[in-house]
């Protein structure tokens, strides 16, 4: 069977050339006589893989030297707890901006460990916008945001100016979609399965001065300082996921880096949003100024028609267009690996569907 256009929100499409490279190296990685899945994480050959992945990610994101890069497990969801356990260390208080389902979950988890102030929320309009916030609790240990809201299809169009208070961002679905100024953040975390690689890997980028050690009673695996001091190898890291993510980082560097990626991602998103804005049948749900480049959410306004569209699209080879179960409708996730032609083909299909069903 031919490969489909896969609009899954995650795990999601990977570049075909990366999959082919992984396939080529599957049984014998660069003359080692074994698969990356079979080698000791303590071996020099694996150390080479993880070091190259880190150095390429640093290059791609222009990560300053005073930041550590950690390759962890447990998903972004585990970071909802790891962040307060490590960073709620002065006043045991943190500010959270709730702009969707994941930031709400992050705030709920953090509330188990200290005082959480929800300083703004966009719940009043079903998370169609990003709250603009410029005032923070002076005694907050950090401010937490969700940079790109995977379920609602919105993305921050500004960086909250938190001054001396570290800014923490869940970038799971937005990382590597465009350049970001890492120095504006104290900590960035992201599950790999949206825009970096296979699931099982979570990347944490953390400013060194925040690595003071987690609070007492923290499980050792959740202690950033322990992970940093051990080069992400306190125990066995997600070896194969790191290897594939490394291939993705290399692919991004070889194809022009994040400036070029942003240009392509804007082009792809515009093709889809322009169609939606002129459609008689479909309508985009997020406010224009904060529309995500990665997750494009839309509806027909009729749940039965939505269902019919998703099923017709799937039969035509455009799969995983169903919106998240908490919002319904449709969502086209168009991460880095989705080619421009995939978006063009989807719009063509939607145009024909509209003609027949409007
Ligand atoms: C997918 C996602 C999560 C959850 O990630 P897991 O790796 O499944 O824990 C959290 N935050 C955002 C923004 C996401 O897109």
């Amino acid at each position: 069977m031919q490969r489909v256009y896969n609009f899954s929100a995650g795990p999601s499409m990977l570049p075909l050339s990366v999959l082919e490279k992984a396939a080529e190296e599957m049984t014998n990685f660069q003359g080692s006589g074994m698969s990356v899945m079979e080698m000791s994480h303590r071996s020099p050959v694996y150390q080479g893989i993880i070091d190259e992945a880190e150095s390429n990610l640093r290059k791609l994101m222009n990560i300053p030297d005073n930041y550590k890069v950690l390759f962890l497990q447990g998903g972004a969801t585990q970071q909802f707890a790891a962040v307060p356990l490590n960073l709620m260390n002065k006043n045991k208080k943190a500010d959270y901006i709730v702009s969707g389902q994941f930031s709400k979950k992050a705030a709920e988890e953090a509330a188990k460990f200290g005082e959480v102030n929800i300083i703004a929320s966009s719940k009043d309009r079903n998370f169609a916008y990003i709250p603009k916030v410029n005032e923070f609790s002076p005694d907050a240990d950090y401010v937490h945001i969700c940079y790109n809201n995977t379920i609602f299809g919105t993305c921050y169009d500004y960086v909250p100016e938190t001054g001396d208070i570290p800014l923490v961002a869940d970038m799971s679905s937005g990382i590597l979609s465009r350049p970001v100024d890492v120095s504006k953040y104290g900590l960035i975390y992201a599950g790999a399965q949206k825009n970096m690689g296979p699931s099982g890997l979570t990347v944490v980028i953390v400013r060194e001065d925040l690595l003071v050690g987690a609070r007492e009673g923290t499980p050792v695996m959740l202690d950033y300082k322990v992970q940093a001091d051990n080069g992400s190898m306190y125990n066995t890291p997600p070896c194969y996921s790191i290897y594939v993510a490394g291939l993705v980082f290399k692919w991004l560097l070889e194809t022009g880096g994040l400036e070029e990626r942003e240009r392509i991602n804007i082009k792809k998103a515009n093709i889809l949003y322009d169609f939606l804005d002129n459609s008689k049948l479909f309508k985009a749900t997020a406010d224009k100024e904060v529309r995500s480049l990665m997750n494009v959410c839309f509806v027909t306004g009729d749940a039965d028609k939505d269902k019919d569209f998703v099923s017709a699209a799937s039969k035509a080879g455009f799969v995983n267009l169903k919106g998240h179960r908490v919002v319904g409708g449709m969502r086209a996730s168009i991460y880095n690996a989705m080619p421009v032609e995939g978006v063009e083909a989807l719009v063509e299909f939607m145009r024909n569907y509209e003609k027949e069903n409007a």
Side-chain angles (χ1 to χ4, degrees):
M1 185 184 147
Q2 216 192 327
R3 279 174 62 79
V4 293
Y5 286 122
N6 177 7
F7 295 90
S8 170
S12 41
M13 266 184 90
L14 287 167
L16 184 58
S17 64
V18 164
L19 295 175
E20 284 169 343
K21 180 81 179 161
E24 182 194 314
E25 295 180 329
M26 173 63 78
T27 58
N28 185 354
F29 175 78
Q30 295 182 5
S32 65
M34 59 182 98
S35 164
V36 174
M37 275 183 261
E38 302 170 298
M39 58 180 61
S40 166
H41 58 293
R42 308 281 178 204
S43 62
V45 55
Y46 190 75
Q47 192 63 51
I49 292 173
I50 193 170
D51 287 348
E52 190 181 0
E54 176 175 340
S55 105
N56 282 340
L57 182 62
R58 284 184 175 278
K59 226 177 280 170
L60 265 178
M61 292 185 72
N62 209 1
I63 299 173
D65 288 343
N66 64 325
Y67 283 73
K68 293 279 189 204
V69 174
L70 309 178
F71 293 122
L72 308 177
Q73 306 196 41
T77 305
Q78 180 136 289
Q79 296 308 311
F80 297 170
V83 165
L85 284 167
N86 284 272
L87 302 190
M88 261 187 190
N89 48 25
K90 286 197 199 90
N91 303 314
K92 294 205 167 23
K93 286 182 186 173
D95 284 354
Y96 277 70
I97 301 177
V98 172
S99 55
Q101 179 91 338
F102 289 117
S103 42
K104 179 168 171 277
K105 283 188 172 171
E108 284 166 2
E109 188 77 344
K112 295 176 183 169
F113 307 108
E115 187 182 322
V116 164
N117 291 312
I118 312 254
I119 53 167
S121 162
S122 48
K123 188 166 189 284
D124 59 331
R125 282 206 291 114
N126 201 26
F127 302 112
Y129 69 104
I130 299 281
K132 274 268 191 301
V133 185
N134 46 34
E135 270 186 72
F136 307 93
S137 311
D139 55 351
D141 288 330
Y142 62 89
V143 175
H144 181 282
I145 63 168
C146 180
Y147 173 76
N148 185 80
N149 296 281
T150 324
I151 295 175
F152 297 92
T154 60
C155 185
Y156 271 73
D157 61 340
Y158 75 105
V159 184
E161 294 287 347
T162 56
D164 291 338
I165 309 172
L167 179 63
V168 174
D170 176 355
M171 283 200 189
S172 295
S173 49
I175 196 163
L176 304 181
S177 65
R178 53 164 31 148
V180 295
D181 183 352
V182 174
S183 73
K184 298 221 185 244
Y185 298 84
L187 187 146
I188 291 167
Y189 65 90
Q193 71 275 20
K194 312 289 165 63
N195 208 19
M196 283 190 285
S199 63
L201 166 66
T202 309
V203 171
V204 172
I205 301 165
V206 55
R207 213 173 59 216
E208 273 168 2
D209 63 284
L210 298 175
L211 293 174
V212 293
R215 73 169 61 177
E216 223 176 280
T218 299
V220 66
M221 287 299 291
L222 300 187
D223 190 322
Y224 294 139
K225 184 158 189 325
V226 171
Q227 295 287 5
D229 289 348
N230 287 278
S232 302
M233 289 209 212
Y234 179 78
N235 72 336
T236 318
C239 298
Y240 197 76
S241 296
I242 293 169
Y243 156 71
V244 178
L247 293 179
V248 171
F249 302 155
K250 202 184 279 177
W251 171 75
L252 286 168
L253 284 170
E254 285 166 1
T255 54
L258 297 192
E259 279 84 10
E260 174 63 6
R261 207 36 62 181
E262 177 177 38
R263 192 189 66 74
I264 299 168
N265 286 332
I266 290 174
K267 180 175 172 185
K268 285 188 303 188
N270 281 346
I271 293 170
L272 200 39
Y273 286 122
D274 285 348
F275 169 75
L276 290 168
D277 288 344
N278 292 299
S279 169
K280 289 192 183 66
L281 180 63
F282 301 102
K283 186 172 147 305
T285 53
D287 283 7
K288 251 185 188 156
E289 323 73 73
V290 294
R291 284 172 171 177
S292 169
L293 295 179
M294 298 282 96
N295 311 100
V296 179
C297 295
F298 56 99
V299 293
T300 64
D302 172 346
D304 289 334
K305 195 153 265 184
D306 288 351
K307 216 169 145 198
D308 179 73
F309 170 75
V310 169
S311 139
S314 183
K315 282 187 199 121
F318 305 97
V319 307
N320 288 318
L321 281 166
K322 192 165 178 284
H324 189 277
R325 60 189 187 281
V326 306
V327 289
M330 278 73 71
R331 169 176 54 182
S333 294
I334 49 174
Y335 298 115
N336 288 340
M338 175 61 66
V340 175
E341 308 84 74
V343 178
E344 285 171 343
L346 173 64
V347 164
E348 186 57 32
F349 176 80
M350 289 170 76
R351 191 166 287 146
N352 288 331
Y353 184 90
E354 175 173 323
K355 254 185 234 149
E356 287 158 23
N357 292 275

